[in-house]
PDB file of all heavy atoms in Angstrom:
ATOM      1  N   PHE A 336     -26.945  22.219   2.232  1.00 96.00           N
ATOM      2  CA  PHE A 336     -25.957  21.146   2.292  1.00 96.00           C
ATOM      3  C   PHE A 336     -25.100  21.312   3.558  1.00 96.00           C
ATOM      4  O   PHE A 336     -24.768  22.430   3.911  1.00 96.00           O
ATOM      5  CB  PHE A 336     -25.070  21.199   1.074  1.00 96.00           C
ATOM      6  CG  PHE A 336     -25.783  20.974  -0.223  1.00 96.00           C
ATOM      7  CD1 PHE A 336     -26.135  22.062  -1.016  1.00 96.00           C
ATOM      8  CD2 PHE A 336     -26.101  19.701  -0.641  1.00 96.00           C
ATOM      9  CE1 PHE A 336     -26.801  21.869  -2.211  1.00 96.00           C
ATOM     10  CE2 PHE A 336     -26.778  19.523  -1.843  1.00 96.00           C
ATOM     11  CZ  PHE A 336     -27.112  20.593  -2.646  1.00 96.00           C
ATOM     12  N   TYR A 337     -24.765  20.213   4.117  1.00 96.00           N
ATOM     13  CA  TYR A 337     -23.763  20.193   5.211  1.00 96.00           C
ATOM     14  C   TYR A 337     -22.614  19.327   4.708  1.00 96.00           C
ATOM     15  O   TYR A 337     -22.770  18.188   4.357  1.00 96.00           O
ATOM     16  CB  TYR A 337     -24.391  19.563   6.479  1.00 96.00           C
ATOM     17  CG  TYR A 337     -25.537  20.375   6.996  1.00 96.00           C
ATOM     18  CD1 TYR A 337     -26.839  20.055   6.613  1.00 96.00           C
ATOM     19  CD2 TYR A 337     -25.327  21.483   7.817  1.00 96.00           C
ATOM     20  CE1 TYR A 337     -27.924  20.795   7.080  1.00 96.00           C
ATOM     21  CE2 TYR A 337     -26.395  22.234   8.292  1.00 96.00           C
ATOM     22  CZ  TYR A 337     -27.699  21.912   7.904  1.00 96.00           C
ATOM     23  OH  TYR A 337     -28.733  22.647   8.344  1.00 96.00           O
ATOM     24  N   PHE A 338     -21.480  19.932   4.671  1.00 96.00           N
ATOM     25  CA  PHE A 338     -20.278  19.302   4.096  1.00 96.00           C
ATOM     26  C   PHE A 338     -19.321  18.990   5.260  1.00 96.00           C
ATOM     27  O   PHE A 338     -18.787  19.901   5.898  1.00 96.00           O
ATOM     28  CB  PHE A 338     -19.642  20.240   3.113  1.00 96.00           C
ATOM     29  CG  PHE A 338     -18.470  19.681   2.336  1.00 96.00           C
ATOM     30  CD1 PHE A 338     -18.675  18.862   1.237  1.00 96.00           C
ATOM     31  CD2 PHE A 338     -17.183  19.968   2.718  1.00 96.00           C
ATOM     32  CE1 PHE A 338     -17.574  18.392   0.510  1.00 96.00           C
ATOM     33  CE2 PHE A 338     -16.088  19.484   2.028  1.00 96.00           C
ATOM     34  CZ  PHE A 338     -16.279  18.676   0.932  1.00 96.00           C
ATOM     35  N   ASN A 339     -19.108  17.747   5.525  1.00 93.00           N
ATOM     36  CA  ASN A 339     -18.385  17.373   6.730  1.00 93.00           C
ATOM     37  C   ASN A 339     -16.888  17.138   6.556  1.00 93.00           C
ATOM     38  O   ASN A 339     -16.177  16.975   7.526  1.00 93.00           O
ATOM     39  CB  ASN A 339     -18.990  16.093   7.349  1.00 93.00           C
ATOM     40  CG  ASN A 339     -20.370  16.369   7.885  1.00 93.00           C
ATOM     41  OD1 ASN A 339     -20.562  17.168   8.801  1.00 93.00           O
ATOM     42  ND2 ASN A 339     -21.368  15.715   7.307  1.00 93.00           N
ATOM     43  N   ASP A 340     -16.419  17.119   5.344  1.00 92.00           N
ATOM     44  CA  ASP A 340     -14.988  16.805   5.137  1.00 92.00           C
ATOM     45  C   ASP A 340     -14.089  17.891   5.686  1.00 92.00           C
ATOM     46  O   ASP A 340     -14.344  19.077   5.528  1.00 92.00           O
ATOM     47  CB  ASP A 340     -14.691  16.648   3.656  1.00 92.00           C
ATOM     48  CG  ASP A 340     -15.109  15.270   3.163  1.00 92.00           C
ATOM     49  OD1 ASP A 340     -15.657  14.509   3.959  1.00 92.00           O
ATOM     50  OD2 ASP A 340     -14.919  14.997   1.972  1.00 92.00           O
ATOM     51  N   SER A 341     -13.019  17.448   6.325  1.00 93.00           N
ATOM     52  CA  SER A 341     -12.048  18.395   6.833  1.00 93.00           C
ATOM     53  C   SER A 341     -11.124  18.807   5.701  1.00 93.00           C
ATOM     54  O   SER A 341     -11.072  18.158   4.645  1.00 93.00           O
ATOM     55  CB  SER A 341     -11.245  17.721   7.946  1.00 93.00           C
ATOM     56  OG  SER A 341     -10.638  16.550   7.403  1.00 93.00           O
ATOM     57  N   VAL A 342     -10.327  19.853   5.945  1.00 94.00           N
ATOM     58  CA  VAL A 342      -9.474  20.350   4.873  1.00 94.00           C
ATOM     59  C   VAL A 342      -8.403  19.302   4.495  1.00 94.00           C
ATOM     60  O   VAL A 342      -8.068  19.175   3.336  1.00 94.00           O
ATOM     61  CB  VAL A 342      -8.870  21.741   5.235  1.00 94.00           C
ATOM     62  CG1 VAL A 342      -7.865  21.628   6.372  1.00 94.00           C
ATOM     63  CG2 VAL A 342      -8.228  22.381   4.033  1.00 94.00           C
ATOM     64  N   GLU A 343      -7.950  18.542   5.498  1.00 94.00           N
ATOM     65  CA  GLU A 343      -6.931  17.541   5.156  1.00 94.00           C
ATOM     66  C   GLU A 343      -7.512  16.448   4.268  1.00 94.00           C
ATOM     67  O   GLU A 343      -6.845  15.941   3.349  1.00 94.00           O
ATOM     68  CB  GLU A 343      -6.271  16.920   6.418  1.00 94.00           C
ATOM     69  CG  GLU A 343      -7.199  16.243   7.387  1.00 94.00           C
ATOM     70  CD  GLU A 343      -7.804  17.151   8.418  1.00 94.00           C
ATOM     71  OE1 GLU A 343      -7.706  18.398   8.219  1.00 94.00           O
ATOM     72  OE2 GLU A 343      -8.418  16.683   9.377  1.00 94.00           O
ATOM     73  N   LYS A 344      -8.771  16.149   4.503  1.00 92.00           N
ATOM     74  CA  LYS A 344      -9.390  15.108   3.663  1.00 92.00           C
ATOM     75  C   LYS A 344      -9.637  15.660   2.251  1.00 92.00           C
ATOM     76  O   LYS A 344      -9.461  14.935   1.270  1.00 92.00           O
ATOM     77  CB  LYS A 344     -10.697  14.669   4.318  1.00 92.00           C
ATOM     78  CG  LYS A 344     -11.238  13.434   3.674  1.00 92.00           C
ATOM     79  CD  LYS A 344     -12.174  12.663   4.550  1.00 92.00           C
ATOM     80  CE  LYS A 344     -12.510  11.354   3.863  1.00 92.00           C
ATOM     81  NZ  LYS A 344     -13.636  10.699   4.500  1.00 92.00           N
ATOM     82  N   VAL A 345     -10.007  16.940   2.211  1.00 94.00           N
ATOM     83  CA  VAL A 345     -10.221  17.575   0.909  1.00 94.00           C
ATOM     84  C   VAL A 345      -8.917  17.545   0.131  1.00 94.00           C
ATOM     85  O   VAL A 345      -8.895  17.196  -1.069  1.00 94.00           O
ATOM     86  CB  VAL A 345     -10.709  19.037   1.107  1.00 94.00           C
ATOM     87  CG1 VAL A 345     -10.565  19.839  -0.196  1.00 94.00           C
ATOM     88  CG2 VAL A 345     -12.142  19.056   1.599  1.00 94.00           C
ATOM     89  N   ILE A 346      -7.823  17.870   0.822  1.00 95.00           N
ATOM     90  CA  ILE A 346      -6.509  17.884   0.167  1.00 95.00           C
ATOM     91  C   ILE A 346      -6.163  16.458  -0.311  1.00 95.00           C
ATOM     92  O   ILE A 346      -5.696  16.239  -1.433  1.00 95.00           O
ATOM     93  CB  ILE A 346      -5.425  18.450   1.098  1.00 95.00           C
ATOM     94  CG1 ILE A 346      -5.623  19.947   1.267  1.00 95.00           C
ATOM     95  CG2 ILE A 346      -4.032  18.161   0.520  1.00 95.00           C
ATOM     96  CD1 ILE A 346      -4.760  20.581   2.303  1.00 95.00           C
ATOM     97  N   ALA A 347      -6.378  15.475   0.544  1.00 92.00           N
ATOM     98  CA  ALA A 347      -6.089  14.087   0.190  1.00 92.00           C
ATOM     99  C   ALA A 347      -6.879  13.688  -1.064  1.00 92.00           C
ATOM    100  O   ALA A 347      -6.332  13.098  -2.000  1.00 92.00           O
ATOM    101  CB  ALA A 347      -6.398  13.168   1.348  1.00 92.00           C
ATOM    102  N   ASN A 348      -8.144  14.037  -1.092  1.00 89.00           N
ATOM    103  CA  ASN A 348      -8.965  13.691  -2.256  1.00 89.00           C
ATOM    104  C   ASN A 348      -8.475  14.392  -3.517  1.00 89.00           C
ATOM    105  O   ASN A 348      -8.356  13.800  -4.596  1.00 89.00           O
ATOM    106  CB  ASN A 348     -10.416  14.102  -2.007  1.00 89.00           C
ATOM    107  CG  ASN A 348     -11.048  13.252  -0.927  1.00 89.00           C
ATOM    108  OD1 ASN A 348     -10.500  12.221  -0.533  1.00 89.00           O
ATOM    109  ND2 ASN A 348     -12.183  13.678  -0.394  1.00 89.00           N
ATOM    110  N   GLU A 349      -8.172  15.709  -3.348  1.00 88.00           N
ATOM    111  CA  GLU A 349      -7.706  16.488  -4.508  1.00 88.00           C
ATOM    112  C   GLU A 349      -6.415  15.924  -5.062  1.00 88.00           C
ATOM    113  O   GLU A 349      -6.220  15.827  -6.267  1.00 88.00           O
ATOM    114  CB  GLU A 349      -7.479  17.937  -4.077  1.00 88.00           C
ATOM    115  CG  GLU A 349      -8.721  18.806  -4.078  1.00 88.00           C
ATOM    116  CD  GLU A 349      -9.203  19.119  -5.488  1.00 88.00           C
ATOM    117  OE1 GLU A 349      -8.381  19.449  -6.362  1.00 88.00           O
ATOM    118  OE2 GLU A 349     -10.430  18.973  -5.767  1.00 88.00           O
ATOM    119  N   TYR A 350      -5.526  15.570  -4.137  1.00 86.00           N
ATOM    120  CA  TYR A 350      -4.205  15.082  -4.544  1.00 86.00           C
ATOM    121  C   TYR A 350      -4.357  13.842  -5.418  1.00 86.00           C
ATOM    122  O   TYR A 350      -3.662  13.680  -6.448  1.00 86.00           O
ATOM    123  CB  TYR A 350      -3.395  14.740  -3.281  1.00 86.00           C
ATOM    124  CG  TYR A 350      -1.902  14.706  -3.519  1.00 86.00           C
ATOM    125  CD1 TYR A 350      -1.022  15.368  -2.651  1.00 86.00           C
ATOM    126  CD2 TYR A 350      -1.334  14.011  -4.586  1.00 86.00           C
ATOM    127  CE1 TYR A 350       0.337  15.357  -2.864  1.00 86.00           C
ATOM    128  CE2 TYR A 350       0.009  14.019  -4.831  1.00 86.00           C
ATOM    129  CZ  TYR A 350       0.872  14.662  -3.963  1.00 86.00           C
ATOM    130  OH  TYR A 350       2.205  14.674  -4.190  1.00 86.00           O
ATOM    131  N   LEU A 351      -5.192  13.005  -5.026  1.00 77.00           N
ATOM    132  CA  LEU A 351      -5.242  11.662  -5.646  1.00 77.00           C
ATOM    133  C   LEU A 351      -6.282  11.551  -6.746  1.00 77.00           C
ATOM    134  O   LEU A 351      -6.358  10.531  -7.413  1.00 77.00           O
ATOM    135  CB  LEU A 351      -5.463  10.621  -4.569  1.00 77.00           C
ATOM    136  CG  LEU A 351      -4.365  10.664  -3.475  1.00 77.00           C
ATOM    137  CD1 LEU A 351      -4.766   9.883  -2.278  1.00 77.00           C
ATOM    138  CD2 LEU A 351      -3.051  10.154  -4.039  1.00 77.00           C
TER     139      LEU A 351
END
Side-chain angles (χ1 to χ4, degrees):
Chain A
F336 299 98
Y337 298 94
F338 185 82
N339 292 299
D340 281 1
S341 58
V342 70
E343 59 272 13
K344 192 157 188 194
V345 166
I346 289 172
N348 292 347
E349 276 289 315
Y350 201 132
L351 301 165

